[in-house]
Amino acid sequence: MNMMRSHCLLTDIVLEVGTESFQAHKVVLAAASPYFKAMFTGGLMECGMTKVKLQGVSPTAMAKIILFMYTGTIRVTELTVCQVLPAATMLQVANIVEACCTFLERQLDPTNAIGIAAFAEQHGCRDLLFKANRYIEQHFTQICQEEEFLQLSPIQLIELIRKDELNVQEEREVYNAVIKWVRYNEDTRKPKMVAVLRAVRCQFLSPAFLQEQMKSCDIVTKLPACREYLSQIFTDLTLHKRIGVKERTPNSPRIIYVAGGYLRHSLDTFEGFNIDDNTWTSLAKLPIPRSGLGVAFLKGAIYAVGGRNNSPGSSYDSDWIDRYDPVMDTWRPCTAMSTPRNRVGVCVMDGLLYACGGSTGTDCHNSAERYDPDSDTWVKIKSMKQQRIGVGVAVINRLLYAVGGFDGANRLRSVECYNPDKDSWSFVADMHECKSGAGVAALDHHIYVVGGYNGSQQLDTVERFDPETNQWTFCAAMSIARSALSLAVIDNKIYAIGGYDGRNFISVVEIYDPTTDSWTQGTPMPSGRSGHAAAVCYQHQCLIPCEGPSLQCDPHPLPTPSTSRGSPS
């Protein structure tokens, strides 16, 4: 039939598109397109016409679509896709629409994702729009450096940066992107700055950063309303008020990383548990085996801090800190702490990593220090009031709580609170039970203390601290008593991982839901261990450059290709 069409045999319709004409058979067009079927069989005046003029379709696109209707084959390229897709959408040729959307999805990169999303929305391609928006969320850090981002309207920008799913290592990236967007067209955009700034989660910026912006950022200093807004947030943070906004939760693989531990000797094991598919994966091993270490996620990396290498022929406490890159699956050393710390408490506050207590040999520490990943330096802070090894630490409202531990003679029920603005420690209410080696975590403005050892036995109890009332209450107990376990918080649940039950090193994972005050069984670790540490991160995506043309997709005007692009891995 295509041969007959090409020789104008038995054709009964001429489609006039721009300055070109296409002869075809009505029955073929109607069979391939609901648009033409309605035109030729629906009682419209075109039913009896031998010539039909089509508007809104380019001759190039029409030629490709007619060829597809006769042969079932079409070649989509960078030069034609943004002409073919609108035409196929209008003519309701679903196979071509799907092929174009698949092609555009494969072309997504930081330079064109915003344009492709707008193009997909304009033409009602919901699946492509969803995937383009997901790509924008996951690659925001790269996309905000591109021209498309700088050309967003204020409404589009606000809609983007309000998303929970933005994949950023810290909120400073969003703030800096907004400042860059304003500078791009400062005269017209400064009046919109306050509205845009309110979409940034400034409550997760550090007071030091806010203070610097109010003092030095010319955009902020020229706009009293912006300065007043940031000043109020600064005041709330320094008064340690409860934050009224939630942290971002990127749509990326969510991983619980578990490092080191002890099973007859110290381990160099490093594993990741994928929350979404309930699988454990072995990753690059720790540079040195160690147990009693601390682990934290900070600015896109996992940090392993301190611990002890208790292996055959070797036993020493460590002052080391190693940085793990989740994208490259590699470790590298960082500047060491001022002193070795075994069974150390580690947490993150204001973009800095804190290491509290621990021991060196038989010496128990009350000292603490903090690490700045940007400068790779440690600074000592005020020492705790008590020596604490096997201490658990957690942060709520920019206050660090050091919970329980062992002072060299006794297990402790005391809890200390560190104020970074005053560099001072103060006691808060004691726990009901003394314990060391407990799992400690912050969840929903409460501190949970799980398990531990009281000097005579392992515990299955769970205590919860409310900083606003300065009171401890008991929650539902675990099914297995244990100490030297680790905790991870994700999806508003607490994962209690491994530990020692008094006789065995266990691999059990239990999951606590605070809404029901109950524990359920999780997927166990590949092997039992104690003295390990855990941290949660949202896996960031990487871009690996590859050869090939780039598609710039802007609905107004039609796109033109450039010479190179990066392709997501």
Side-chain angles (χ1 to χ4, degrees):
M1 293 191 72
N2 190 46
M3 184 181 297
M4 294 173 69
R5 178 184 69 88
S6 64
H7 290 85
C8 300
L9 297 176
L10 302 179
T11 55
D12 53 0
I13 188 67
V14 176
L15 301 178
E16 294 181 343
V17 182
T19 59
E20 297 188 26
S21 298
F22 300 91
Q23 296 205 31
H25 305 88
K26 288 183 179 180
V27 66
V28 174
L29 301 184
S33 162
Y35 178 92
F36 284 122
K37 182 179 179 181
M39 177 183 289
F40 299 139
T41 66
L44 303 175
M45 64 179 182
E46 288 88 353
C47 291
M49 295 171 62
T50 57
K51 287 187 178 182
V52 173
K53 190 172 184 65
L54 292 180
Q55 303 290 340
V57 180
S58 73
T60 300
M62 195 71 241
K64 288 182 172 293
I65 290 172
I66 289 177
L67 184 62
F68 174 81
M69 291 176 172
Y70 278 84
T71 66
T73 301
I74 188 169
R75 179 174 176 78
V76 180
T77 68
E78 294 89 348
L79 293 173
T80 61
V81 63
C82 290
Q83 298 178 43
V84 172
L85 177 56
T89 301
M90 185 187 85
L91 301 176
Q92 299 174 281
V93 187
N95 299 91
I96 295 180
V97 172
E98 182 180 354
C100 290
C101 289
T102 300
F103 177 83
L104 289 172
E105 181 187 342
R106 291 172 180 168
Q107 295 292 314
L108 281 168
D109 73 20
T111 66
N112 64 26
I114 290 175
I116 288 178
F119 190 69
E121 184 175 23
Q122 181 186 26
H123 297 291
C125 302
R126 293 183 180 180
D127 189 53
L128 177 61
L129 176 61
F130 174 81
K131 291 176 180 177
N133 282 333
R134 177 67 63 87
Y135 185 91
I136 293 167
E137 293 161 4
Q138 291 182 338
H139 298 83
F140 177 83
T141 301
Q142 295 87 21
I143 284 169
C144 68
Q145 306 300 321
E146 301 296 335
E147 186 76 11
E148 284 189 342
F149 175 82
L150 298 175
Q151 293 179 352
L152 289 173
S153 70
I155 293 176
Q156 290 172 323
L157 178 65
I158 290 171
E159 182 181 1
L160 174 58
I161 64 176
R162 273 181 175 167
K163 291 185 176 183
D164 290 339
E165 297 81 9
L166 282 192
N167 191 8
V168 292
Q169 295 179 3
E170 55 179 336
E171 195 65 22
R172 187 184 302 190
E173 294 178 20
V174 183
Y175 176 90
N176 288 336
V178 165
I179 296 297
K180 184 175 182 180
W181 176 86
V182 174
R183 292 191 196 283
Y184 186 77
N185 191 349
E186 191 169 330
D187 290 340
T188 60
R189 291 179 175 180
K190 275 200 304 186
K192 308 291 185 182
M193 179 64 179
V194 175
V196 174
L197 195 59
R198 290 183 181 276
V200 181
R201 303 186 184 187
C202 296
Q203 294 81 355
F204 292 103
L205 299 171
S206 70
F209 180 79
L210 289 171
Q211 199 167 33
E212 178 65 24
Q213 293 304 302
M214 290 186 288
K215 177 182 177 182
S216 304
C217 178
D218 58 324
I219 302 291
V220 173
T221 55
K222 292 175 185 176
L223 297 170
C226 289
R227 181 179 173 84
E228 182 180 342
Y229 177 68
L230 294 183
S231 178
Q232 183 59 56
I233 293 175
F234 174 84
T235 300
D236 291 344
L237 290 175
T238 52
L239 291 176
H240 307 283
K241 291 184 177 181
R242 177 183 290 204
I243 293 176
V245 297
K246 66 177 184 176
E247 292 187 79
R248 299 189 190 272
T249 52
N251 276 321
S252 300
R254 300 166 303 157
I255 310 295
I256 297 176
Y257 289 99
V258 177
Y262 186 85
L263 179 63
R264 295 180 292 275
H265 57 80
S266 295
L267 305 172
D268 59 5
T269 304
F270 186 61
E271 295 169 323
F273 178 70
N274 189 310
I275 297 294
D276 299 308
D277 58 18
N278 289 319
T279 56
W280 288 91
T281 302
S282 294
L283 303 168
K285 294 182 180 297
L286 288 168
I288 295 294
R290 46 185 146 164
S291 53
L293 73 166
V295 167
F297 176 67
L298 175 59
K299 297 185 178 181
I302 299 290
Y303 290 86
V305 182
R308 169 177 288 178
N309 181 4
N310 192 356
S311 302
S314 177
S315 181
Y316 58 89
D317 297 320
S318 173
D319 58 2
W320 294 342
I321 171 173
D322 294 298
R323 181 184 186 275
Y324 175 77
D325 184 336
V327 175
M328 304 305 294
D329 189 30
T330 55
W331 290 92
R332 70 168 180 81
C334 303
T335 300
M337 293 181 289
S338 64
T339 186
R341 297 181 187 275
N342 176 40
R343 302 186 69 195
V344 61
V346 171
C347 64
V348 170
M349 179 168 58
D350 289 342
L352 303 172
L353 188 150
Y354 285 75
C356 303
S359 64
T360 305
T362 58
D363 294 334
C364 298
H365 299 313
N366 65 345
S367 63
E369 50 192 313
R370 67 183 173 212
Y371 174 78
D372 185 340
D374 296 330
S375 61
D376 188 28
T377 55
W378 287 91
V379 174
K380 287 188 176 181
I381 63 171
K382 185 78 170 181
S383 294
M384 295 181 291
K385 295 180 179 294
Q386 287 188 282
Q387 298 170 333
R388 300 177 188 269
I389 68 173
V391 58
V393 292
V395 173
I396 294 180
N397 299 331
R398 294 189 61 252
L399 293 172
L400 188 159
Y401 294 84
V403 182
F406 179 63
D407 66 4
N410 302 295
R411 270 75 195 177
L412 304 174
R413 59 165 48 93
S414 64
V415 180
E416 296 182 53
C417 176
Y418 176 74
N419 185 326
D421 303 320
K422 299 178 180 178
D423 189 29
S424 64
W425 293 88
S426 58
F427 285 109
V428 297
D430 289 351
M431 294 182 289
H432 294 292
E433 299 176 313
C434 58
K435 61 192 77 173
S436 64
V440 176
L443 173 60
D444 193 25
H445 302 285
H446 292 86
I447 293 175
Y448 289 82
V449 182
V450 179
Y453 180 67
N454 66 5
S456 60
Q457 63 182 3
Q458 273 68 31
L459 304 171
D460 62 2
T461 52
V462 178
E463 295 191 51
R464 183 179 72 179
F465 178 67
D466 184 342
E468 294 184 358
T469 63
N470 195 32
Q471 292 182 335
W472 289 90
T473 57
F474 280 108
C475 301
M478 294 185 292
S479 64
I480 298 176
R482 43 186 155 149
S483 61
L485 70 162
S486 64
L487 297 188
V489 176
I490 194 166
D491 286 348
N492 204 43
K493 294 181 175 64
I494 296 174
Y495 286 68
I497 303 168
Y500 181 68
D501 67 2
R503 293 181 299 176
N504 301 300
F505 299 98
I506 61 176
S507 61
V508 172
V509 175
E510 295 185 66
I511 305 170
Y512 177 75
D513 186 343
T515 59
T516 59
D517 188 28
S518 62
W519 291 88
T520 56
Q521 293 294 313
T523 304
M525 290 189 293
S527 62
R529 72 202 69 162
S530 69
H532 51 288
V536 172
C537 93
Y538 293 86
Q539 183 73 56
H540 292 269
Q541 305 297 314
C542 65
L543 293 174
I544 300 177
C546 69
E547 297 180 357
S550 174
L551 181 67
Q552 304 297 323
C553 197
D554 185 337
H556 308 294
L558 293 175
T560 56
S562 62
T563 56
S564 64
R565 71 179 178 91
S567 174
S569 66

